[in-house]
């Protein structure tokens, strides 16, 4: 994306950060969601409450954590609670407005697989698994998902239901007795997607600057639906871009700096 | 009643072949030194329990010590996959292992139920999730008051739990602070608990009254091992060695490289080697 002055990944992170508000209480997944949440906190949403599953509530890290339990998260948190309390009182108790997840495999109904590629009992690739995701996906009031588009990642049928999105679509959540909204937003490196109000299938509502419909389809394993009135995502502002790049530079320096190269 | 013991003796007295064992620590205070001592003593047929198996279970699985693993996230946090665990699950190398997989909420509730002396944990979980179909230990119960269908999992009651903590006082009471994870529940759920600590102080008289202190009579043995949670960290003592987590990805990717690394860094070393490993991380803490 040389001509535009920003990369597709930067656009993805910044578009995701814009979806978060000052009053949100956000359960943050590691990786792309973590970057987006902290850019939001450092730009338009300084009051946002960021929660990581290690029990750190209201954290404000200066660098992005490598794991969900880096010391920086605890040092800057309003409070740090035990893991059972995290999942019982705060997540199950209905205190989380947005669960922000990444995905290895995603289908058009927002169901996520991070468990296995292939058969569960004889996997071709054993992935790390769900961690907190199965309950984040059903106990948070709504779910945002962010991932870079690939045909391997965005598939017609996922190999395993690590966390439930809209299932087979329509009212599948309600039929299972799940009363939260589920996935309401998908931000990729190419577009912004929202579920169709009736079918719950993710539909492209906004293309990032310079992106074509064809590019979105070529990097997606299902037949993509586009909204009738398609927006163009506003490009990153100078402040957004500077905030993200500074954060990533600080992060890189911090993680390399604690390495063995500097020892002895 | 708690005993202060050298780590070698504490592990030998409390761990047996065939035990179910939890080496807990939720990304913080991971009991690496205790795990390495268990590896040196060569225990077999262990059921390894842990929410986030991490490097130490990758190492124990790679050394063929595990017959079963109970977990909720089998990854290298922030880096990617655990390659020795993958080799065992995908290829049965160096032996096949039984897998019992839960979510974090499931494991956390199960430890809490274990600490509470309950046979099972009840919570709102696994709705629409595939794990319920592949793990026979995930069942459901109906609330007798509201009729809501809730998830149920058996409580976790390890034969022995190992944790790492910041400090003990001279009587053997233990302080855990920072990201406290599941340590307290894992200790109270177990039949026996062994704690490695950074240091021993005279007393805890000036501590805040609500800090997480495990009374000495809840613990079987304490071993003083400064740096004992490297490459994890000890809040207030030394920082996480993120570079070591990145390096592990390469070491564990290759069977021979893994064996050579284990020989040089675990088999031929002792608990006394941990202090030097965190020296360069102390200022950053």
């Amino acid at each position: 994306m040389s001509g535009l002055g920003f990369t597709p990944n930067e656009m993805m992170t910044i578009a995701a950060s814009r979806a978060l508000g000052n009053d949100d209480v956000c359960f943050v997944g590691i990786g792309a969601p973590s970057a987006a949440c902290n850019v939001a906190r450092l730009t338009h949403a300084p009051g946002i409450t960021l929660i990581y599953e290690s029990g750190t509530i209201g954290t404000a890290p200066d660098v992005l954590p490598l794991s969900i339990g880096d010391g920086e998260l605890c040092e800057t948190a309003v409070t740090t609670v035990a893991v059972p309390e995290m999942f019982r009182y705060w997540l199950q108790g209905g205190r989380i407005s947005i669960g922000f997840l990444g995905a290895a495999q995603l289908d058009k109904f927002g169901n996520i697989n991070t468990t296995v590629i292939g058969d569960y009992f004889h996997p071709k690739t054993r992935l790390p698994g769900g961690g907190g995701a199965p309950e984040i996906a059903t106990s948070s009031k709504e779910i945002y998902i962010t991932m870079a588009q690939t045909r391997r990642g965005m598939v017609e049928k996922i190999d395993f239901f690590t966390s439930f999105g809209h299932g087979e679509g329509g009212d599948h959540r309600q039929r299972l007795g799940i009363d939260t909204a589920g996935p309401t937003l998908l931000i990729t490196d190419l577009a912004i997607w929202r579920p169709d109000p009736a079918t719950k299938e993710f539909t492209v509502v906004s293309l990032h600057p310079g992106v074509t419909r064809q590019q979105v389809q070529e990097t997606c394993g299902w037949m993509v639906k586009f909204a009738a009135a398609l927006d163009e995502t506003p490009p990153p502002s100078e402040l957004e871009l500077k905030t993200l790049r500074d954060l990533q530079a600080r992060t890189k320096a911090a993680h390399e700096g604690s390495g063995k190269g500097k020892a002895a | 009643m708690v005993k202060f013991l050298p780590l070698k003796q504490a592990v030998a007295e409390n761990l047996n072949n065939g035990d179910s064992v939890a080496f807990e620590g939720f990304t913080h205070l991971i009991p690496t030194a205790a795990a390495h001592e268990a590896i040196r003593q060569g225990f077999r047929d262990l059921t390894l329990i842990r929410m986030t198996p991490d490097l130490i279970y990758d190492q124990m699985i790679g050394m063929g010590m595990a017959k079963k693993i109970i977990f909720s996230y089998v990854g290298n946090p922030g880096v990617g996959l655990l390659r020795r665990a993958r080799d065992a699950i995908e290829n049965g190398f160096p032996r096949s292992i039984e897998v019992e997989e839960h979510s974090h909420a499931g494991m956390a509730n199960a430890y809490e139920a274990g600490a509470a002396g309950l046979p099972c944990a009840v919570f709102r979980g696994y709705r629409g999730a595939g794990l319920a179909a592949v793990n026979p230990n995930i069942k459901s119960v109906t609330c007798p008051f509201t009729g809501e269908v809730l998830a149920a999992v058996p409580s976790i009651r390890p034969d022995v739990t190992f944790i790492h903590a910041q400090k003990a006082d001279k009587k053997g009471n233990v302080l855990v602070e920072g990201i406290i994870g599941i340590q307290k529940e894992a200790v109270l759920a177990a039949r026996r608990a062994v704690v490695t600590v950074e240091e021993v102080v005279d007393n805890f008289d000036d501590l805040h009254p609500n800090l997480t202190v495990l009374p000495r009579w809840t613990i079987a043995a304490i071993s003083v091992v400064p740096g004992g949670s490297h490459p994890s960290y000890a809040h207030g003592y030394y920082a996480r060695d993120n570079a070591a987590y990145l390096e592990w990805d390469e070491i564990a990717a290759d069977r021979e490289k893994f064996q050579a690394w284990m020989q040089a860094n675990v088999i031929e070393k002792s608990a006394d080697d941990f202090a030097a490993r965190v020296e360069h991380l102390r200022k950053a803490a």
Side-chain angles (χ1 to χ4, degrees), chain A residues 132-156:
Chain A
E135 282 76 23
I136 294 172
T138 50
S139 288
S140 305
K141 292 196 175 80
E142 56 186 309
I143 294 297
Y144 294 173
I145 300 165
T146 182
M147 68 186 292
Q149 289 198 204
T150 63
R151 293 185 75 91
R152 272 177 67 198
M154 295 170 76
V155 298
E156 183 69 37

Side-chain angles (χ1 to χ4, degrees), chain A residues 20 24-41 48-61 64-65 67-69 73 86-87 91 96-102 132-133 136 140 143-144 146:
Chain A
L20 298 163
D24 277 322
V25 177
C26 186
F27 207 114
V28 186
I30 210 70
S34 178
C37 290
N38 281 288
V39 169
R41 180 179 61 78
I48 191 170
T49 296
L50 302 184
I51 296 183
Y52 289 73
E53 66 190 10
S54 54
T56 50
I57 296 177
T59 184
L64 294 173
S67 80
I68 46 81
L73 295 173
M86 183 79 257
F87 283 96
L91 179 61
I96 309 296
S97 63
I98 294 165
F100 211 141
L101 301 173
I136 294 172
S140 305
I143 294 297
Y144 294 173
T146 182

Side-chain angles (χ1 to χ4, degrees), chain A residues 104 113-117 125-129, chain B residues 74 81 86 90 101:
Chain A
N113 171 26
T114 57
T115 302
V116 288
I117 303 298
T125 306
R126 175 65 228 201
L127 302 171
Chain B
V74 64
L81 310 171
R86 271 190 65 186
E90 293 168 18
E101 181 170 8

Side-chain angles (χ1 to χ4, degrees), chain B residues 62-80:
Chain B
M63 297 300 277
M65 298 164 69
K67 75 168 180 202
K68 180 175 180 180
I69 178 171
I70 301 175
F71 67 95
S72 46
Y73 183 86
V74 64
N76 177 343
V79 177

Side-chain angles (χ1 to χ4, degrees), chain B residues 28-67:
Chain B
H28 174 220
L29 294 173
I30 292 169
T32 312
H36 283 188
E37 185 54 44
I39 292 169
R40 278 190 293 274
Q41 295 188 22
F43 292 98
R44 314 297 294 182
D45 297 325
L46 300 174
T47 293
L48 297 175
I49 306 165
R50 186 155 167 219
M51 294 184 68
T52 53
D54 202 271
L55 274 50
I56 53 175
Y57 281 13
D58 212 29
Q59 292 163 358
M60 294 169 92
I61 291 167
M63 297 300 277
M65 298 164 69
K67 75 168 180 202

Side-chain angles (χ1 to χ4, degrees), chain A residues 55-234:
Chain A
T56 50
I57 296 177
T59 184
D62 188 47
V63 303
L64 294 173
L66 183 68
S67 80
I68 46 81
D70 282 18
E72 174 93 2
L73 295 173
C74 178
E75 282 156 23
T76 61
V78 172
T79 184
T80 297
V81 301
V83 168
E85 179 178 325
M86 183 79 257
F87 283 96
R88 289 174 68 82
Y89 300 177
W90 302 91
L91 179 61
Q92 183 178 264
R95 302 272 174 181
I96 309 296
S97 63
I98 294 165
F100 211 141
L101 301 173
Q105 257 191 354
L106 176 79
D107 71 15
K108 61 184 163 194
F109 295 118
N111 304 300
I112 291 174
N113 171 26
T114 57
T115 302
V116 288
I117 303 298
D119 175 65
Y120 181 79
F121 294 102
H122 303 94
K124 202 167 94 190
T125 306
R126 175 65 228 201
L127 302 171
E135 282 76 23
I136 294 172
T138 50
S139 288
S140 305
K141 292 196 175 80
E142 56 186 309
I143 294 297
Y144 294 173
I145 300 165
T146 182
M147 68 186 292
Q149 289 198 204
T150 63
R151 293 185 75 91
R152 272 177 67 198
M154 295 170 76
V155 298
E156 183 69 37
K157 194 173 172 353
I158 56 175
D159 290 347
F160 190 86
F161 270 58
T162 304
S163 60
F164 193 80
H166 295 289
E168 296 162 3
D171 64 351
H172 201 168
R173 285 179 79 88
Q174 289 92 310
R175 280 190 276 129
L176 293 182
I178 304 168
D179 56 4
T180 52
T184 55
L185 183 65
L186 165 64
I187 304 111
T188 69
D189 51 340
L190 303 180
I192 298 172
W193 311 54
R194 288 193 182 277
D196 177 272
T199 67
K200 302 296 181 188
E201 176 176 340
F202 271 128
T203 306
V204 176
V205 295
S206 180
L207 293 173
H208 298 338
V211 173
T212 64
R213 290 177 184 231
Q214 195 188 346
Q215 283 174 299
V216 174
Q217 181 62 73
E218 280 169 356
T219 51
C220 180
W222 67 77
M223 189 60 77
V224 179
K225 294 213 168 92
F226 295 89
L230 205 52
D231 289 331
E232 180 176 298
T233 313

